[in-house]
Structure formats: C-alpha cells, structure tokens
Amino acid sequence: MNVEVRVTDSSKGKGLYAKCKILKESLIFEEDPLVSCQFSWNSAYRYLACDHCLRPLETAQENASRLSGHPIDLPYPECCTTDKSKFTKCSTCFTQYCSEECKTQALEQYHSIICLQTQDKNSAHPLEQLNEAWKQVHYPPETNSIFLIVRLLARILKAPNKEIAIAQTLQFCHRTVNEDADLAHKLLGDKFADQLSLLHNKFIAVVPHEGIEQFLSYEGFLSLLALIGTNGQGVGTSAISEWARNAESLLLSDDDKKVLDSFIDHLYQQMDENVGEFLNNEGVALYSLQSTCNHSCSPNAEPKFLHNNHRLSLVATQDIEEGEEIFISYLDECFLNRSRHSRMKELMRNYLFVCQCPKCESEADQEDVTSEEEEDMSE
Ligand SMILES: [Zn+2]
Ligand SMILES: [Zn+2]
Ligand SMILES: [Zn+2]
C-alpha cells in the first residue's frame, strides 16, 4: 500500500497520505465498496446494470441503440466486453447479476435479508413502497439512494461479527444530532424535508430490527442519511464508452481511424439528442479508504471506474510527494470552476465545512460574489 490514513489537524479528523512518491496518472489504490446500488430512476428508465456491481447488462450495440433511440450497427463488435453467458438471476426474486460471483457476494453480504419474497397481491412489497417514496423526493439528476442505507443495515444483519460491521458503519458517522438533521434535510432539499418521517416509516418496514435498533430510531435514520449524503461516491458504468475506449486503442490504418472517430462523434451526438446527459448506468457507493480523502478545490487525485463496475481506482492527477496529503474534489467539474464564494457555499451546504485548500486561501481576497447563473444552478 502506497498510502496510509493519519489523524490530521483539519476539522475532518482523518486524512490520507502518500507513503512514497506517486507519479501523475499512476494508480494510487483500488477498492471495492462496502455497499453500492444503482439509482432508482436510472433503474426505472431501464438502464440495465448488475444489481451488485453495476456492470452493464447490455451489449454496447444494445446500449447505443437504446440511448440513440434507433437501431445502431456497431463496427468492431469484439471491443464490447459484455458477456451474457455469465449473467444469472436470484432464483427467488429474479434480480439480475452479471456473474455467479456477484450473485453469491450479494446473497452472502445483504441480498438474502431483502430478497423480495412471494408477494401479497393486494399491496406493493415494502421495498417497492420505499422505492416509490424515495423516487418522489429524489428526482433526476440523482445524487444518492436510500437503498445504500438498506444494504448497509442488511450487511450488518448478515455479518458473521456484528460488532465489526457496526464499527465499519460508524467509522463514517461522526457528527452531532443537529448537524445530521441539517445534512439529512439538505439531501432531500427544502421542498421535500417534510417527507422525512414518511420516508422513515417506509424505511423501518423493510429490514428486521433485531441487532440494529440504534440505526432505526428517527435520529438514527437522519444520521444514516447524513452519512450517505457526505460519503456517498457516485459510480458510473457504460457498455458503449467501454466499447469506444477499446475501439480507439485498436491498431488501425489512418483512414480506418478517421472513419471510426467520425462514427463515434456522430453516435455521441445522436445519443446526446435523445437522452442528454443520461448516458451511464449510475449509482452510489460507500468506500472505506476513499472516504478518508479530504477535499481540495485543486485536488491531486481523482476516483475512476476503470473496470466498468463499482470497483474504484484512485488515480493521481499530479505528481504527489512522499508524506503529502491526497485530496479529491467533493464538487463536480462544473462547480470547481466557479468562484471561491460559490464553492464555499456549496461545501458548507452539503458537507458543513469551510474549505481551506490552497486555491481557496489564494483567492481569499476575492469579493464574495455569486453570479446570477450560479444562483440559479444552486437552487
Ligand atoms: Zn456484477
Ligand atoms: Zn432475491
Ligand atoms: Zn477550496
């Protein structure tokens, strides 16, 4: 391991530090999440992904055809990595997995607790009721999922050692009751904050209570929402972008390369016209090590999904010296390019801290202005 977690003097308490020099563009570490899940609307709109690891369950050709709205004939089909012969389903509820390994891991870690049992025909299953309630308070573009919490608790119930599993969960929570309530409200947005107790009622109906009572009270629920709000990492996978990456690295003649490049450009244009920014299977996950990385507005590392599933690869975006702290950005690209005032406001809103990164310090004498466009965007 070329990194270590250390206690820092920053308000976050922990930070990740390089134990040796790490070169720009090299891999810092890879890790699988504690839990992950696909977003509810993303799944409802038929973005097909493995229920455990989010690997695409479509071929690149099917993916391109669906996203562009008409049949597409993809060249170089061998560049598609989807292997349907490995797909499998839960024998009880028919949840789909990309492989036997994913099904086994899901069943062992959490799925058997929340597997949809034979249904009472007169009412929707509690999990479906929760899904519907969540969808009504969390419209696209999605940033989180209540099912991350459901899986986190099911994981504790399934764990051979509950104390360890509870400690792994609590490593993420370190805030006061008021701060948790504040963060939970922000996760839902002001418009939906009054839906929290309804959501809580639906939530406690989906998991057995014994052994996890501390998380099921209203306060416990708010702290779990705060936990996923501040630690959830977005995950994106795509059969078509994997295909494009592989096709672009083929050894082709200059003419063939030109044809391929213009095919890809045209395809992305068609997909953009049909579905806009919604190209990927999208979801959210909790990572033990990555979540110890603090934020900077000029980060030196970036999470990537090089395996086209939920396995996270942290990649250096600058040379990092031995002993230097590793920073990622909690803000997306678009927010990172805004004024110091806007960045600070967004970080305070969603993470409750004042950024003291070098970029913010160097811009400290900037006026506290927020442009009108920025005001609109942050509504
Ligand atoms: Zn999978
Ligand atoms: Zn099942
Ligand atoms: Zn900053």
Side-chain angles (χ1 to χ4, degrees):
M1 200 55 123
N2 50 10
V3 288
E4 64 184 355
V5 179
R6 272 195 237 149
V7 175
T8 68
D9 49 6
S10 82
S11 54
K12 260 201 91 183
K14 274 189 265 179
L16 199 67
Y17 290 82
K19 278 165 72 180
C20 57
K21 187 177 166 95
I22 300 169
L23 295 175
K24 182 178 174 174
E25 279 167 28
S26 63
L27 186 66
I28 304 175
F29 63 79
E30 293 194 323
E31 74 176 320
D32 286 326
L34 218 53
V35 280
S36 68
C37 66
Q38 190 180 3
F39 290 143
S40 294
W41 285 104
N42 192 258
S43 164
Y45 282 122
R46 309 289 300 151
Y47 286 73
L48 287 178
C50 171
D51 195 61
H52 182 65
C53 78
L54 267 93
R55 188 182 294 286
L57 295 180
E58 289 172 310
T59 61
Q61 172 138 333
E62 290 166 340
N63 191 212
S65 302
R66 180 173 59 80
L67 295 177
S68 61
H70 57 88
I72 296 277
D73 212 1
L74 275 194
Y76 311 108
E78 70 278 13
C79 291
C80 170
T81 55
T82 306
D83 183 357
K84 290 196 169 185
S85 71
K86 288 191 177 160
F87 292 1
T88 182
K89 287 178 179 164
C90 168
S91 54
T92 312
C93 70
F94 308 117
T95 291
Q96 289 182 290
Y97 298 100
C98 73
S99 63
E100 212 45 59
E101 291 88 327
C102 275
K103 181 171 114 177
T104 308
Q105 281 186 25
L107 277 169
E108 281 174 0
Q109 292 172 12
Y110 56 86
H111 183 75
S112 60
I113 302 273
I114 49 177
C115 177
L116 293 171
Q117 307 297 334
T118 8
Q119 284 205 27
D120 169 4
K121 286 205 174 60
N122 298 316
S123 67
H125 189 280
L127 273 172
E128 280 163 12
Q129 290 189 35
L130 180 65
N131 194 31
E132 280 313 307
W134 177 252
K135 273 158 66 189
Q136 295 316 310
V137 299
H138 198 77
Y139 286 101
E142 295 163 280
T143 57
N144 229 309
S145 170
I146 197 159
F147 287 95
L148 209 48
I149 300 180
V150 173
R151 286 188 181 181
L152 204 53
L153 295 190
R155 188 182 167 277
I156 295 175
L157 293 167
K158 286 287 289 180
N161 185 326
K162 279 201 182 53
E163 266 102 82
I164 292 178
I166 288 177
Q168 277 176 334
T169 305
L170 292 174
Q171 70 172 342
F172 294 106
C173 318
H174 43 69
R175 292 178 191 275
T176 66
V177 174
N178 284 339
E179 285 177 335
D180 280 345
D182 194 19
L183 287 165
H185 278 92
K186 271 160 197 157
L187 180 61
L188 257 56
D190 299 335
K191 222 169 32 175
F192 299 119
D194 58 346
Q195 304 288 305
L196 276 169
S197 57
L198 172 109
L199 215 50
H200 177 236
N201 286 333
K202 302 263 179 211
F203 165 72
I204 53 179
V206 301
V207 281
H209 294 191
E210 208 184 321
I212 50 168
E213 290 87 350
Q214 70 188 101
F215 298 107
L216 298 173
S217 66
Y218 187 60
E219 281 72 28
F221 175 62
L222 295 188
S223 82
L224 288 172
L225 281 175
L227 182 161
I228 64 165
T230 51
N231 294 283
Q233 163 69 49
V235 179
T237 67
S238 157
I240 193 64
S241 63
E242 176 98 332
W243 169 86
R245 225 183 355 260
N246 292 336
E248 277 164 349
S249 61
L250 291 173
L251 291 169
L252 301 175
S253 70
D254 285 355
D255 283 353
D256 287 348
K257 182 123 192 69
K258 258 187 211 140
V259 174
L260 174 67
D261 286 348
S262 83
F263 177 88
I264 292 176
D265 283 350
H266 184 58
L267 174 61
Y268 271 88
Q269 218 174 332
Q270 289 172 296
M271 296 193 298
D272 181 64
E273 279 161 21
N274 195 39
V275 295
E277 64 184 295
F278 300 106
L279 293 176
N280 294 341
N281 300 318
E282 285 184 22
V284 61
L286 287 177
Y287 298 91
S288 294
L289 200 53
Q290 177 261 5
S291 72
T292 62
C293 280
N294 287 314
H295 165 87
S296 167
C297 302
S298 53
N300 54 15
E302 169 183 42
K304 292 195 172 181
F305 296 91
L306 305 173
H307 302 276
N308 213 21
N309 66 5
H310 65 191
R311 185 166 178 79
L312 178 143
S313 308
L314 195 71
V315 176
T317 53
Q318 297 171 21
D319 287 348
I320 301 170
E321 298 302 324
E322 181 184 340
E324 208 179 314
E325 183 165 1
I326 293 166
F327 292 105
I328 56 175
S329 170
Y330 297 176
L331 301 175
D332 64 24
E333 198 66 37
C334 155
F335 252 108
L336 267 190
N337 293 323
R338 294 193 188 167
S339 69
R340 171 179 185 267
H341 180 64
S342 298
R343 297 196 307 268
M344 289 237 180
K345 213 166 85 178
E346 187 68 5
L347 289 166
M348 181 48 85
R349 248 173 88 86
N350 297 308
Y351 300 95
L352 305 182
F353 73 88
V354 177
C355 189
Q356 294 177 317
C357 78
K359 188 171 171 184
C360 285
E361 296 287 284
S362 75
E363 295 171 357
D365 9 328
Q366 255 183 22
E367 261 182 89
D368 285 351
V369 282
T370 313
S371 73
E372 259 171 53
E373 183 204 9
E374 290 178 355
E375 283 291 354
D376 291 347
M377 301 280 292
S378 59
E379 282 304 307

